[in-house]
Amino acid sequence: MNIMSKSVKWVICIWCFLYGVILVIALKYEAGVPIGDLGSINLHALNNAFRGLFEYDVAGGYFRSLYVFTEILGVISVLACLFWMSLGIKDLIKYRDINDVDKSIFATFLLYILALIVWKIVTGISVSYAPVSVHPKSALVVSFPCGNTFLIIISMCSCIYLTGYFLEERKRLVLILRILCISVLILGIILRTVCGANWITDILGAIGFAVPAVILYSFVCDV
């Protein structure tokens, strides 16, 4: 059962994408982001102000334990994506016709492809670099949008739908799995935000570009 109308979903989809694009332009060309009658906000100042809330210098530039934990959540998200993709490959091998592949699995595969394309395009613009190097001997890398957060959002949102789709009769198990997915989603975003390995705008950018992809996916799967 849909919890939001399609019109509301379209509004969220368009606005999230527009804010993602605004972040790209503002960070790339060091422009302020307009905030209505209040004027504009300097994103570089915002990034530095947010980092100033935590004692990263004492921890070596970032909180390594939190960073490692988010990387583990990222690995879990990758494995979840591979699992759903394997179901599609299984159907393709079994029926030897792409038209016989389960509709929701095929839509999920398209979601992953779309997400990968969007992420590659945005990172290719080299909007901003990470505030710290998590590997002492390596150079700073492009960090916008945060790949870890982007991956977790795409993976866990698809899992929330697919667990209910394939385990419709086992409602208790579906509830447990969905709680786990939501926990990974929320923890992944929050901990990556505060661990210090990314700027706050990296996280916002990941949300801005991931949410529209998930909403488009919900239209295909009628979530």
Side-chain angles (χ1 to χ4, degrees):
M1 179 179 180
N2 291 324
I3 59 175
M4 286 192 294
S5 66
K6 285 191 175 182
S7 59
V8 172
K9 288 183 179 181
W10 272 118
V11 170
I12 296 174
C13 178
I14 293 171
W15 277 107
C16 282
F17 181 75
L18 287 177
Y19 275 112
V21 172
I22 289 173
L23 284 175
V24 170
I25 297 173
L27 289 168
K28 185 69 175 179
Y29 299 102
E30 299 185 359
V33 173
I35 49 176
D37 296 334
L38 299 178
S40 63
I41 184 171
N42 184 299
L43 294 181
H44 296 289
L46 172 65
N47 281 328
N48 289 323
F50 184 81
R51 283 187 64 81
L53 298 176
F54 305 92
E55 297 182 352
Y56 293 127
D57 292 336
V58 177
Y62 68 108
F63 300 139
R64 182 165 180 78
S65 59
L66 296 183
Y67 167 78
V68 171
F69 188 71
T70 60
E71 289 293 287
I72 293 174
L73 295 181
V75 171
I76 292 173
S77 298
V78 170
L79 292 177
C81 292
L82 292 176
F83 173 75
W84 300 122
M85 291 177 66
S86 69
L87 293 184
I89 294 173
K90 179 182 176 181
D91 278 355
L92 188 60
I93 294 174
K94 180 179 179 179
Y95 301 112
R96 299 183 181 181
D97 187 344
I98 195 170
N99 294 318
D100 292 325
V101 175
D102 185 273
K103 171 189 148 183
S104 291
I105 288 295
F106 185 67
T108 303
F109 177 76
L110 293 180
L111 168 66
Y112 296 159
I113 294 297
L114 173 63
L116 181 61
I117 291 174
V118 170
W119 182 76
K120 290 293 289 184
I121 290 175
V122 179
T123 54
I125 301 175
S126 300
V127 173
S128 64
Y129 290 82
V132 295
S133 174
V134 296
H135 303 291
K137 295 183 180 180
S138 65
L140 295 178
V141 297
V142 175
S143 61
F144 182 98
C146 175
N148 180 270
T149 300
F150 190 84
L151 167 65
I152 289 175
I153 293 174
I154 295 295
S155 177
M156 291 300 105
C157 286
S158 61
C159 284
I160 289 170
Y161 165 69
L162 291 173
T163 51
Y165 176 74
F166 283 104
L167 301 171
E168 185 177 3
E169 302 300 323
R170 306 180 65 180
K171 297 187 182 299
R172 185 182 297 273
L173 179 58
V174 169
L175 177 61
I176 293 173
L177 292 175
R178 283 182 167 175
I179 289 175
L180 289 175
C181 289
I182 293 172
S183 298
V184 171
L185 177 63
I186 295 175
L187 279 175
I189 295 175
I190 293 177
L191 296 184
R192 194 68 176 200
T193 300
V194 302
C195 78
N198 291 87
W199 299 108
I200 181 65
T201 51
D202 297 339
I203 308 299
L204 296 176
I207 296 172
F209 287 109
V211 169
V214 170
I215 291 178
L216 292 176
Y217 170 71
S218 74
F219 291 144
V220 177
C221 292
D222 194 27
V223 178

